[in-house]
Amino acid sequence: TKHQSLLLQPGVGESPGGRGATALTAFLAQREEGTAAVGNVNVVCRFRPMNEREKASSGDLVCVEFNDEKTVRMKGAAAGDAPGSSTFSFDRTFGMESTQEEVYNFAGRPVVESVMQGFNGTILAYGQTSSGKTFTMQGPDIKDDKLMGVIPRMVGTLFDWIEASPGTEFTVKVSMVEIYCEVIRDLHDPKKG
């Protein structure tokens, strides 16, 4: 099975359906109706913990509430909003108390396992500046088992799998790009981008 994950990172005070999410919302609706052409794509919404600056400026005020593991609702929706217009559904949502390991086990590990079975895998982190993409993907400390993000965990899982497969030859190729202001930059060779 081919696995891909899209990690959405809404910023503090931003709706998970905020800027750039119109096409995603349409895709999710088509998938729910069974009309979207997809393999195995998981769309995950992760809300990172508030940093000290955010806590100082707004306390513990959070603009979303989690109905269950798949649904998030914006607090304080306008009275004129259509019913359900402030509620968003995903394959999985992760609140601010979620651990890096929980996010990885749902969104990252299946991708690595598919890759080790010969399929291509992709993880795309999308969100506004300061929404937590680096926190989720890299982690604040890649040497700390609790804080390391998706990428160092994927690398660890990949090489654990390789070590457990003596007599099998592996070729590992990785691409990492940044898309910022519609410019693609190769993160392995900054001179190219």
Side-chain angles (χ1 to χ4, degrees), residues 105-145:
N105 285 336
F106 185 87
R109 184 178 298 278
V111 175
V112 175
E113 290 171 355
S114 290
V115 165
M116 296 311 293
Q117 295 169 15
F119 295 95
N120 291 327
T122 303
I123 293 185
L124 172 70
Y126 174 85
Q128 73 182 38
T129 300
S130 296
S131 62
K133 298 176 301 292
T134 302
F135 178 88
T136 296
M137 296 304 291
Q138 179 178 313
D141 184 350
I142 64 172
K143 294 179 181 170
D144 183 315
D145 288 340

Side-chain angles (χ1 to χ4, degrees), residues 14 26 43-44 68 77 104 106-107 129 139 148 163 165 168 176 186 190:
E14 181 192 28
V43 181
V44 178
D68 54 40
Y104 173 68
F106 185 87
T129 300
M148 72 171 68
E163 283 181 1
S165 305
T168 304
M176 292 170 53
D186 182 344

Side-chain angles (χ1 to χ4, degrees), residues 83-103:
S85 66
S86 63
T87 301
F88 303 92
S89 296
F90 302 91
D91 291 303
R92 179 75 191 268
T93 60
F94 290 95
M96 291 180 240
E97 71 290 339
S98 300
T99 67
Q100 298 282 62
E101 183 176 18
E102 289 171 326
V103 173

